[in-house]
Amino acid sequence: MTALLLLTTFGLGLRHGVDWDHLAAITDITGSEYERRRSAMLAVLYALGHGAAVMALGAIAIVAGEHLPVWIDPVMERLVGVTLIGLAVFLVRSLR
């Protein structure tokens, strides 16, 4: 049962990795490539990486179960926000 849940989580993460809010990131990664094959490979790697990250976080949540403290949700939201700001700064710096 756990393997099925992990597989489902990976699939949902993979699907979310190509959702509309990630298309800008995929376009940014692949848009600078001249070779179509390399561009497609980078897009697939992005989606696979995203699926693996969601699967890993889901597995941690499954194993932790009810042992997760209440404060973890707002902390993770802020961590994701800081990560996105950091990526935006990196992107702006790389454009110079």
Side-chain angles (χ1 to χ4, degrees):
M1 182 68 161
T2 303
L4 182 60
L5 288 174
L6 289 174
L7 185 61
T8 301
T9 304
F10 179 76
L12 291 173
L14 184 63
R15 166 61 180 94
H16 177 71
V18 293
D19 211 352
W20 68 270
D21 58 335
H22 290 282
L23 288 180
I26 294 172
T27 302
D28 183 49
I29 292 169
T30 61
S32 62
E33 293 297 322
Y34 294 108
E35 295 180 33
R36 287 184 181 191
R37 175 171 271 177
R38 180 163 166 75
S39 180
M41 181 58 77
L42 288 174
V44 167
L45 288 174
Y46 173 88
L48 288 173
H50 194 283
V54 170
M55 184 178 75
L57 291 173
I60 290 169
I62 289 169
V63 170
E66 295 181 11
H67 303 291
L68 290 175
V70 176
W71 54 265
I72 198 76
D73 194 34
V75 169
M76 292 306 292
E77 287 176 359
R78 286 180 175 83
L79 181 64
V80 168
V82 168
T83 302
L84 291 174
I85 290 170
L87 289 171
V89 169
F90 177 76
L91 177 64
V92 169
R93 290 188 69 201
S94 69
L95 290 174
R96 289 166 141 232

